[in-house]
Amino acid sequence: MTTSITIRRPDDWHVHLRDGAMLAGVVGHTARQFARAIVMPNLTPPVTDVASAVAYRDRILAAVPAGMTFTPLLTAYLTDRSDPAELVRGHAEGVFTAAKLYPAGATTNSDKGVTDIRNIDSVLEAMAAAGMPLCVHGEVTHADVDVFDREAVFIEQVLEPLLARIPGLRVIFEHITTAEAVQFVESAGANVAATITPQHLHINRNAMLVGGIRPHAYCLPVAKRETHRLALRKAAVSGNPKFFLGTDSAPHARETKESACGCAGIFNAPYALESYLVVFEQEGAIGRFEDFASRFGPAFYGLAVNEDTVTLERVEHVVPACISAGGAELVPFHAGETLGWRLV
Ligand SMILES: NC(=O)N[C@@H](CC(=O)O)C(=O)O
Ligand SMILES: [Zn+2]
Ligand SMILES: [Zn+2]
């Protein structure tokens, strides 16, 4: 039986590091596991221009605990009024690795997002011409679309037409949750990829709703039926380079999740690699873990792989019920559960 595994140091291609005290409390968890991360721009106010991105990058770097090396890769929050020249300049200057599409109202801090994708066609055309990738929260927001159908409907109503209009655009369909998204990404061109979170590989919607409502299993896009989880697991371990690691670690203070109107987001950063590795082992695919965690993401983003390595050992350990960060209490993914792997 394999007792340890050493792989090139992975990167996280979708994470929320927040700001201020919360940033200081969570960034070390990500930096311990990952060399680089695509950092989401959904702050208040959102990161929409080069100057605010440079300032945010400086705050992130200042918050990284001493002795850790970590490179934040910033993204620009798209709005109806995004300026194509500003985004392309930010990309050329190495400030913006990508731009992020939040359909307005889809998720946490998305109210300044895009109300109709057609409003930003000129921005997306400029991005395609510059080779700047688009990260997508892929859900429609119309009140008449069921929350469990919002991703599948987004493919039909937004993503397919977008790629027909701008075929050269590089798109990362982030945190996919459905068999439809897997199928769409598999059949799309090489310019389309997807990230998959640990939670969507581990839980289906029962985890959230059976035996009582469990706010710490609630994130967006919401976990779907078991058939979708199985399709995601198959895609993640398939060795298809279009599917790679993106945790979507999204910390919210405990009381804001344990609430009559609880926030969406799962804080999985502290044990993300362990969580993914459990899935790869269960699927008999440990040999493909490094590709998913450390190679396919950089390849899609056109970046070099990391040269250093990390080692995970087979040791059972219990995930803490609670982790404090910046004065807040965070309930991590897998809280109270035993994981069979541990990052050394
Ligand atoms: N995933 C989530 O449920 N929440 C994210 C936003 C997002 O990625 O959609 C957050 O910022 O809290
Ligand atoms: Zn999202
Ligand atoms: Zn996210």
Side-chain angles (χ1 to χ4, degrees):
M1 203 177 9
T2 320
T3 57
S4 81
I5 158 174
T6 297
I7 59 171
R8 275 179 194 272
R9 194 154 169 229
D11 306 296
D12 185 352
W13 299 97
H14 178 144
V15 71
H16 301 270
L17 295 179
R18 312 303 192 204
D19 211 344
M22 180 74 92
L23 165 65
V26 301
V27 69
H29 292 288
T30 290
R32 199 174 76 84
Q33 298 225 333
F34 299 105
R36 298 169 288 195
I38 290 276
V39 180
M40 289 297 124
N42 60 333
L43 309 180
T44 25
V47 180
T48 53
D49 58 21
V50 178
S52 60
V54 169
Y56 185 38
R57 186 171 63 186
D58 290 345
R59 294 197 298 279
I60 295 169
L61 290 171
V64 174
M68 288 187 176
T69 55
F70 175 67
T71 305
L73 304 173
L74 288 241
T75 54
Y77 184 112
L78 295 173
T79 73
D80 284 343
R81 286 182 305 279
S82 288
D83 174 8
E86 176 79 359
L87 295 179
V88 169
R89 176 175 75 88
H91 185 246
E93 290 176 1
V95 177
F96 291 134
T97 299
K100 173 73 186 230
L101 169 64
Y102 288 105
T107 189
T108 308
N109 290 343
S110 63
D111 46 301
K112 305 272 194 320
V114 175
T115 59
D116 181 337
I117 184 109
R118 294 280 187 162
N119 293 341
I120 58 162
D121 266 3
S122 64
V123 174
L124 299 175
E125 272 158 19
M127 286 172 54
M132 181 177 185
L134 176 71
C135 298
V136 175
H137 180 109
E139 290 190 288
V140 296
T141 57
H142 322 138
D144 57 348
V145 180
D146 188 278
V147 71
F148 290 101
D149 297 333
R150 288 180 170 198
E151 184 174 281
V153 172
F154 182 88
I155 297 169
E156 274 170 36
Q157 293 190 352
V158 182
L159 208 44
E160 277 176 345
L162 169 65
L163 287 161
R165 289 199 302 283
I166 314 177
L169 188 63
R170 292 164 62 211
V171 173
I172 302 96
F173 193 176
E174 301 198 291
H175 51 39
I176 58 168
T177 62
T178 58
E180 287 89 339
V182 169
Q183 211 276 320
F184 174 77
V185 171
E186 282 172 350
S187 57
N191 57 315
V192 178
T195 56
I196 306 181
T197 74
Q199 57 266 23
H200 294 111
L201 297 172
H202 278 277
I203 64 172
N204 62 33
R205 60 196 195 178
N206 282 17
M208 201 172 43
L209 296 169
V210 171
I213 189 160
R214 298 177 196 273
H216 299 291
Y218 174 59
C219 67
L220 287 169
V222 70
K224 309 293 192 299
R225 303 179 165 270
E226 179 65 357
T227 47
H228 297 288
R229 185 182 76 100
L230 295 178
L232 294 167
R233 284 171 76 104
K234 200 164 160 232
V237 306
S238 66
N240 183 336
K242 286 166 159 260
F243 299 102
F244 49 84
L245 187 158
T247 65
D248 193 20
S249 183
H252 291 276
R254 176 200 279 271
E255 67 278 9
T256 66
K257 289 190 65 67
E258 297 175 4
S259 153
C261 183
C263 294
I266 293 179
F267 177 54
N268 59 30
Y271 303 97
L273 287 175
E274 291 90 332
S275 180
Y276 281 115
L277 183 54
V278 166
V279 172
F280 275 72
E281 173 161 54
Q282 287 168 346
E283 297 291 329
I286 286 189
R288 288 197 284 274
F289 183 53
E290 182 177 41
D291 285 342
F292 176 82
S294 314
R295 290 182 188 275
F296 294 160
F300 188 82
Y301 274 93
L303 298 170
V305 293
N306 298 310
E307 288 304 329
D308 47 344
T309 60
V310 297
T311 297
L312 292 110
E313 58 184 4
R314 186 187 294 283
V315 178
E316 292 203 337
H317 61 108
V318 179
V319 172
C322 187
I323 290 175
S324 50
E329 281 195 356
L330 303 175
V331 176
F333 185 45
H334 296 299
E337 293 172 27
T338 300
L339 291 174
W341 289 93
R342 190 173 64 193
L343 182 65
V344 177

